[in-house]
Amino acid sequence: MATNPAIAAEGKTILGHPRGLFVLFFAEMWERFSYYGMRALLIFYLTKHWLFSDGDASLIYGAYTSLVYITPVLGGYLADRYLGQRKAVLFGAVVLTLGHFLMAFEGTGGQGDPTISIFWLALAFIIVGSGFLKGNISVIVGQLYPRTDVRRDGAYTIFYMGINLGSFFGVLIAGFLGETYGWSYGFGAAGVGMLLGLLVFIWGRPLLMNRAEPPAPERLRERVAGVPFEWLLYGLGLVAIAIIWALVQYQQVVGTLLLISGLALFGYIGFTAVRQLPRDDRDRIFAILFLLLLQPVFWGLFEQAGAGVNLFTDRHVDRNFFGYEIPTTWFQSVNAAFIILLGPVFASLWTSLGRRGIEPSTPAKFGLAIVQVGLGFLALVWGAQAFGSQNMTPMILIVFLYLLHTTGELCLSPVGLSAMNRLAPRHMAGLIMGAWFFATAGGNFVAGQISAATGAENAESGEGAKELFLNVWTTVGWTAVGIGVVVLVLAPFVKRLMHLDTLQDERMAGTPELAEPIAPSPNTNGETVPGKA
Ligand code: GLN
């Protein structure tokens, strides 16, 4: 391997990986620290500070979190064509830092306070900043390695751990400060975290080995209307902030936008596949589209975490732990903690099932994920009813919900990222990755709608409100279980569309990044794969 000049350029390594990976690890860790720290507080900030109804707050939550995942399609496009990923991430990080600090302006609160304009502006900054950063930083991870490097999957494993480490501490720290000392302390902490991410990224630039630079730097220096083209692109980012500032205040427009752009995106991908691709590649695109269509179902339920489940935990769950009242937002860290604990377990599970030839296919794992996310809600409903709907629900039931949602996430999120990478033809890779995040956005929007349904009556008023949560969750829980079962039945047919036998350059089966622990070791087929150290 050392004869490969790309690998020789790495110099010293850490855990067998180029040091640049750890620059990305810490930068993304801090970015997710700020994202999830802020998200944990958001629904309460909307309902308790700005005094939105549960329903409106849920729709705003859904519109905001879906826009966060729509914009990476555009950020990815600009990076691929002009900016290169490093510059795009840098710009995104600056915008994000400003956005999180803008969140700290809370004014006096209530519906009549004009300071709310700054709040909308802060959301717009975070949305556009994420568009430049989130997808592109994930792309740089892969760019540190040659195409066929067996360490890639392991690199994504490490990176995913960084994401969840950031999420874990972000929720604990920003959530605690926000709930205990005041909103601006929580959001300010998120801002400090993002600033640290920005500094790590600037400091670590040399370790990225010039792999994520602009495809044509001279084009960026060309003057257009007297200004370097690169500045114009950043100017475009500022225009986007202004547009989204307006858009985020009209949540239903976001729904229409999602629908129209989703149809256009899917139509374009399908059309390209039918018109331009050979049979096997075309079929793989159909398999990809099938997987993408399932995303809104999974995330629609999963993302209740920051919305309806957060409100329910605040009002109806007994959070008393030996005399200490656990802050509501802390329950959001349970998911990240389970990911960190269970990631390696799932990794070896897939590997050992794979060795025996009984590893579920990627679509089957998606089916299992959707069943689990539905079961999570049903278990909570049954548990809450068993303890008496009129009593406070024990917190262990919420923890159990997050456990099932996390095992579901491990069957879907890293598995899906890996599948997008593997099934897309090379020249469509960026587009397909953008479509993956876009489909997540659909899920976030659905989450807002479901959460709004749980808040149709004002839950603060007491009687009946808890029942409403449980009724809505029974419906969505059974619906998800039903869809998951149908997906499991269809899975063998979709697997056939994946044509795994003719895939070159890659290994078999839907092995997710998390299935690949770190150090290289020979597998049973005699090839070298990242296996257990
Ligand atoms: N939890 C992961 C992250 O924050 C996945 C999120 C998603 O795909 N919606 O990156």
Side-chain angles (χ1 to χ4, degrees):
M1 286 222 292
T3 50
N4 185 329
I7 292 180
E10 287 169 10
K12 271 198 227 129
T13 57
I14 302 175
L15 297 171
H17 285 269
R19 285 169 296 168
L21 175 63
F22 296 91
V23 173
L24 303 172
F25 176 100
F26 286 111
E28 177 62 346
M29 183 192 84
W30 284 117
E31 187 270 328
R32 291 284 102 180
F33 174 100
S34 64
Y35 178 75
Y36 284 108
M38 179 275 196
R39 195 195 75 159
L41 289 166
L42 180 61
I43 198 90
F44 300 130
Y45 191 50
L46 288 164
T47 51
K48 296 183 185 181
H49 183 71
W50 297 116
L51 305 183
F52 284 103
S53 69
D54 283 11
D56 287 343
S58 298
L59 295 179
I60 296 167
Y61 171 90
Y64 160 70
T65 53
S66 63
L67 283 168
V68 160
Y69 288 111
I70 291 177
T71 48
V73 180
L74 299 173
Y77 178 82
L78 288 181
D80 278 347
R81 275 192 83 112
Y82 307 113
L83 283 173
Q85 278 73 18
R86 183 190 61 81
K87 281 176 185 283
V89 169
L90 186 62
F91 179 68
V94 171
V95 173
L96 274 166
T97 307
L98 293 173
H100 282 292
F101 282 127
L102 280 174
M103 283 292 297
F105 289 88
E106 54 180 88
T108 53
Q111 288 283 308
D113 179 3
T115 322
I116 198 160
S117 301
I118 302 184
F119 165 66
W120 298 125
L121 191 64
L123 293 187
F125 266 80
I126 298 175
I127 289 163
V128 172
S130 303
F132 278 92
L133 186 141
K134 177 72 175 145
N136 288 322
I137 198 166
S138 328
V139 171
I140 307 181
V141 172
Q143 286 171 335
L144 295 178
Y145 302 84
R147 275 250 146 80
T148 50
D149 195 319
V150 292
R151 296 171 303 168
R152 259 167 181 252
D153 281 358
Y156 276 103
T157 306
I158 296 175
F159 188 67
Y160 210 81
M161 292 290 173
I163 287 176
N164 285 286
L165 211 58
S167 162
F168 181 74
F169 286 110
V171 166
L172 289 185
I173 295 172
F176 174 75
L177 292 174
E179 282 194 82
T180 317
Y181 295 103
W183 306 111
S184 49
Y185 290 91
F187 295 129
V192 172
M194 191 56 236
L195 181 63
L196 290 172
L198 170 64
L199 294 177
V200 167
F201 194 73
I202 294 174
W203 167 85
R205 177 184 170 176
L207 299 177
L208 301 179
M209 303 177 290
N210 291 326
R211 296 278 164 78
E213 293 305 312
E218 62 293 343
R219 175 98 180 77
L220 287 181
R221 285 191 291 270
E222 262 169 33
R223 287 185 173 262
V224 183
V227 215
F229 182 57
E230 181 175 358
W231 290 20
L232 275 188
L233 293 175
Y234 300 138
L236 201 68
L238 299 183
V239 173
I241 292 174
I243 295 173
I244 286 178
W245 183 18
L247 198 63
V248 75
Q249 302 180 44
Y250 299 96
Q251 295 84 38
Q252 291 306 337
V253 183
V254 177
T256 316
L257 178 87
L258 254 174
L259 200 66
I260 295 174
S261 50
L263 286 175
L265 185 64
F266 275 56
Y268 175 74
I269 294 173
F271 182 77
T272 314
V274 173
R275 288 295 295 269
Q276 294 177 2
L277 298 181
R279 199 196 66 153
D280 284 9
D281 276 341
R282 186 197 60 205
D283 285 354
R284 288 187 193 115
I285 293 282
F286 291 153
I288 285 176
L289 292 178
F290 177 84
L291 298 176
L292 290 181
L293 281 174
L294 300 175
Q295 287 260 80
V297 182
F298 180 82
W299 297 105
L301 270 71
F302 182 95
E303 285 284 326
Q304 294 302 309
V309 174
N310 216 359
L311 290 171
F312 182 88
T313 311
D314 196 44
R315 294 172 186 157
H316 305 301
V317 172
D318 180 6
R319 291 178 281 110
N320 194 307
F321 190 68
F322 297 110
Y324 176 69
E325 171 103 324
I326 299 178
T328 308
T329 46
W330 279 16
F331 285 85
Q332 307 257 329
S333 69
V334 174
N335 164 246
F338 276 141
I339 290 269
I340 295 164
L341 289 174
L342 295 178
V345 176
F346 272 67
S348 40
L349 178 72
W350 298 143
T351 316
S352 73
L353 290 179
R355 288 218 178 92
R356 283 179 229 150
I358 50 170
E359 182 185 4
S361 65
T362 301
K365 286 177 184 166
F366 271 55
L368 290 172
I370 294 172
V371 168
Q372 289 170 85
V373 84
L375 275 182
F377 276 115
L378 293 177
L380 174 61
V381 171
W382 294 329
Q385 283 165 348
F387 281 94
S389 305
Q390 67 289 358
N391 300 324
M392 291 296 262
T393 300
M395 62 178 128
I396 186 74
L397 292 173
I398 291 288
V399 173
F400 191 63
L401 167 116
Y402 284 127
L403 174 64
L404 282 175
H405 282 197
T406 307
T407 50
E409 180 182 350
L410 284 168
C411 290
L412 180 135
S413 183
V415 179
L417 276 174
S418 173
M420 296 302 121
N421 245 318
R422 186 155 8 92
L423 296 177
R426 286 271 147 80
H427 68 281
M428 291 174 79
L431 179 69
I432 296 293
M433 192 53 94
W436 170 259
F437 283 115
F438 185 94
T440 313
N444 281 281
F445 191 78
V446 171
Q449 304 286 323
I450 295 175
S451 176
T454 60
E457 296 164 34
N458 192 340
E460 208 75 82
S461 64
E463 273 326 289
K466 188 175 181 187
E467 283 302 324
L468 191 59
F469 276 107
L470 300 183
N471 287 344
V472 171
W473 290 345
T474 307
T475 312
V476 295
W478 279 118
T479 310
V481 170
I483 295 176
V485 170
V486 172
V487 172
L488 282 169
V489 173
L490 294 177
F493 303 100
V494 181
K495 185 184 172 189
R496 224 170 289 160
L497 289 176
M498 291 162 60
H499 296 290
L500 297 171
D501 46 341
T502 55
L503 259 188
Q504 284 162 2
D505 208 20
E506 303 282 355
R507 282 162 301 106
M508 293 280 294
T511 316
E513 285 82 1
L514 280 174
E516 309 299 344
I518 300 148
S521 68
N523 74 357
T524 43
N525 302 330
E527 56 196 343
T528 302
V529 297
K532 261 204 169 327

